[in-house]
Amino acid sequence: MIPVRGYRDAQVAVLGLGRSGLTAALALRAGGAIPVVWDDNEAARQKALDEGIEVADLTKDKSWEDVVSLIVSPGIPHLYPTPHPIVQKAWSHGVVVDNDIGLFFRSYATQDWEKFDTIPKVICVTGSNGKSTTTALIQHILNAAGRNATMAGNIGRGVLDLPPARDGDVVVLELSSYQTDLARALAPDVAVFMNLSPDHLDRHNGMGGYFAAKRRLFIEGGPDKAIIGVDEPEGRFLANQIRQDKTGDPVIAISSGQKLQGQGWSVFARKGFLAEWRKNRQVASIDLRDIVGLPGAHNHQNACAAYAACRSLNIPPKVIEAALKTYPGLPHRCQVLGKGKDVLFVNDSKATNIDAAEQALKAFKNIRWIVGGQAKEGGITALAPLFDRVKKAYLIGEATTDFASQLGTTPQSQCETIERAVAAAVADADAGDVILLAPACASFDQYPNFEKRGDAFIAAVTPHLDG
């Protein structure tokens, strides 16, 4: 655990006692602060009491008399669509509002680092899609290269649950827009911006606010290296804002699908090949086409981002190439489960929006598509140009009726559940087909999260796998 610095003997309130909130309270106490906590859930409050942490009803003005800071968990709105009432209480009492990411950046570096031969590094990854895979891939490459790398943040463990830094450590953080928006301190050594597509717009009052939340990591964080996906206008704008001159420094531009030219440092993937260019010449190339853990153009962008991050830490291209070939992939993210009777089964339960589902559809052909759940605004109409890749759709969840009409003439079957969808798809499948779970929907109509939905798919598929 990383003891929080700067609050010794001061009272700090924590709102929300999920994974990050309870860890923040414990880390505050480890650093000498006096945490007081609140959660609307009685079981969560009891868990804090079991840890010996004081529970205070922060809806009451009397609870704020000695509080100097409020730490807010990422799932709690602090501005849009409406600030949480307890956040507004903090404002009215003059209490500064922060989150665990801000606490991490003010506490991770210590005087002990002066004794280290290699100063620890923090790599932060943000964007709409691909964050988790890129974060995990960076950690995988660094560990394969002999560096001690740990991932945390929006994936794995809470940031304050990490151990104190050791000589040469690298922390790789996946950061959501909720986390970057509120943190009062941001200081990554390397920051990665993957891409931007509409998501969480209610929490940011539109695309402008959403982009602004992610932009903070770069403009206020001031990384030594900024790895920027330039396939959307926002990425090109951000890269232009950060670069100092025509050499592009400190930007490493990345792309999936376009060749990047110029004097700067770039990494891009085209037709299945990753290329690194510097000063208008190619310095390395990797064939990505047969890497099982990274199927499709969207994963090639993830590979470019991870490659660039590791090159910024001077990991050799050949070492990165070898590590890419051993990357197993993350569960529920275009996860290749295996084959049965020459039919490929792919679990992309994390494809909770149409942009992620689009990438999955682009990655395969002859698709038997399991789709549906709790639909998001717009449904799947924007995916119509890819329906010719779908041999048949198998509809599940709340979205069944709406998606049936949106699919038009695409062959379809209304299955309601994943188990029925898998059974129907297996019965219909021909050799060379791909049975793909890419719901383009939230899971909350039938499952508490996308992981449980993916687990249900795996359980239904397992009896049909070879071996």
Side-chain angles (χ1 to χ4, degrees):
M1 178 166 288
I2 297 172
V4 173
R5 301 167 61 198
Y7 287 114
R8 182 167 294 279
D9 298 326
Q11 194 172 90
V12 179
V14 177
L15 175 60
L17 293 172
R19 182 190 59 169
S20 65
L22 185 57
T23 299
L26 294 169
L28 283 159
R29 186 173 66 184
I34 305 166
V36 295
V37 302
W38 181 253
D39 191 295
D40 292 335
N41 184 281
E42 184 178 353
R45 298 197 299 269
Q46 185 58 52
K47 193 171 181 179
L49 288 170
D50 292 344
E51 292 283 354
I53 296 172
E54 180 183 350
V55 173
D57 186 350
L58 297 176
T59 66
K60 309 296 185 184
D61 286 324
K62 65 180 181 180
S63 297
W64 293 90
E65 290 179 2
D66 298 315
V67 171
V68 299
S69 182
L70 172 67
I71 308 305
V72 178
S73 295
I76 297 171
H78 54 269
L79 186 56
Y80 300 113
T82 303
H84 191 281
I86 289 175
V87 172
Q88 297 191 66
K89 283 280 186 186
W91 295 347
S92 66
H93 286 275
V95 171
V96 300
V97 180
D98 201 352
N99 64 13
D100 64 328
I101 302 302
L103 297 181
F104 169 83
F105 277 113
R106 70 183 290 167
S107 306
Y108 187 54
T110 69
Q111 291 182 339
D112 291 340
W113 288 22
E114 295 176 1
K115 305 170 188 175
F116 293 164
D117 293 326
T118 303
I119 296 299
K121 299 289 185 181
V122 179
I123 301 174
C124 294
V125 181
T126 195
S128 297
N129 297 304
K131 298 187 299 295
S132 297
T133 295
T134 300
T135 300
L137 187 53
I138 293 169
Q139 182 201 30
H140 176 79
I141 295 168
L142 291 173
N143 286 339
R147 298 292 296 270
N148 183 48
T150 308
M151 64 180 180
N154 206 41
I155 187 174
R157 62 209 295 189
V159 292
L160 295 172
D161 191 39
L162 291 167
R166 299 175 298 175
D167 196 333
D169 278 0
V170 182
V171 170
V172 191
L173 301 182
E174 177 192 337
L175 298 183
S176 72
S177 56
Y178 300 169
Q179 293 167 310
T180 57
D181 195 24
L182 190 57
R184 293 176 70 89
L186 291 166
D189 297 288
V190 180
V192 181
F193 176 86
M194 298 296 301
N195 46 53
L196 197 76
S197 60
D199 209 359
H200 310 304
L201 300 189
D202 59 329
R203 279 288 298 267
H204 299 293
N205 200 33
M207 281 293 285
Y210 181 43
F211 176 52
K214 293 186 177 297
R215 180 177 173 272
R216 290 192 70 235
L217 182 64
F218 300 84
I219 302 303
E220 297 182 36
D224 296 330
K225 285 294 178 187
I227 296 158
I228 310 292
V230 294
D231 290 335
E232 292 93 23
E234 292 87 355
R236 293 192 288 276
F237 171 79
L238 181 59
N240 184 267
Q241 281 204 309
I242 296 171
R243 69 177 64 230
Q244 297 172 359
D245 52 38
K246 290 192 73 174
T247 66
D249 195 62
V251 172
I252 305 175
I254 62 168
S255 172
S256 176
Q258 61 175 315
K259 181 178 180 179
L260 300 178
Q261 299 176 322
Q263 300 175 30
W265 191 351
S266 63
V267 180
F268 57 88
R270 292 181 71 210
K271 299 179 180 180
F273 287 86
L274 179 152
E276 178 187 0
W277 282 63
R278 297 199 205 187
K279 298 180 179 178
N280 284 314
R281 71 180 188 90
Q282 183 173 306
V283 297
S285 178
I286 298 174
D287 186 350
L288 302 173
R289 293 173 297 176
D290 295 326
I291 297 178
V292 175
L294 296 167
H298 65 301
N299 272 314
H300 293 176
Q301 184 194 44
N302 300 337
C304 289
Y307 178 98
C310 293
R311 289 291 287 134
S312 74
L313 298 187
N314 299 314
I315 307 300
K318 290 296 183 185
V319 173
I320 298 175
E321 180 177 9
L324 290 176
K325 292 178 178 178
T326 62
Y327 177 65
L330 276 179
H332 315 301
R333 295 162 175 87
C334 245
Q335 178 188 12
V336 176
L337 300 176
K339 285 188 174 183
K341 296 181 179 179
D342 204 28
V343 173
L344 187 67
F345 295 86
V346 180
N347 168 27
D348 199 13
S349 183
K350 183 62 169 66
T352 58
N353 58 44
I354 61 167
D355 295 284
E358 176 185 10
Q359 299 304 327
L361 292 174
K362 286 180 176 178
F364 303 99
K365 296 179 181 178
N366 301 320
I367 297 168
R368 296 192 178 275
W369 183 23
I370 299 175
V371 57
Q374 190 177 82
K376 296 188 176 180
E377 186 176 352
I380 56 172
T381 53
L383 298 175
L386 297 173
F387 289 170
D388 61 353
R389 306 174 77 90
V390 177
K391 293 184 74 170
K392 188 173 181 178
Y394 302 82
L395 299 165
I396 61 173
E398 281 181 7
T400 293
T401 302
D402 288 342
F403 283 11
S405 62
Q406 292 172 28
L407 283 163
T409 60
T410 302
Q412 57 185 266
S413 178
Q414 298 187 21
C415 300
E416 296 184 6
T417 69
I418 279 178
E419 291 76 15
R420 292 178 188 171
V422 169
V426 168
D428 293 342
D430 303 310
D433 285 355
V434 177
I435 295 178
L436 169 69
L437 172 67
C441 287
S443 62
F444 305 125
D445 57 333
Q446 294 179 313
Y447 301 94
N449 50 52
F450 72 84
E451 292 96 340
K452 293 296 185 184
R453 178 172 60 191
D455 290 342
F457 179 71
I458 293 170
V461 160
T462 299
H464 303 286
L465 298 176
D466 292 337

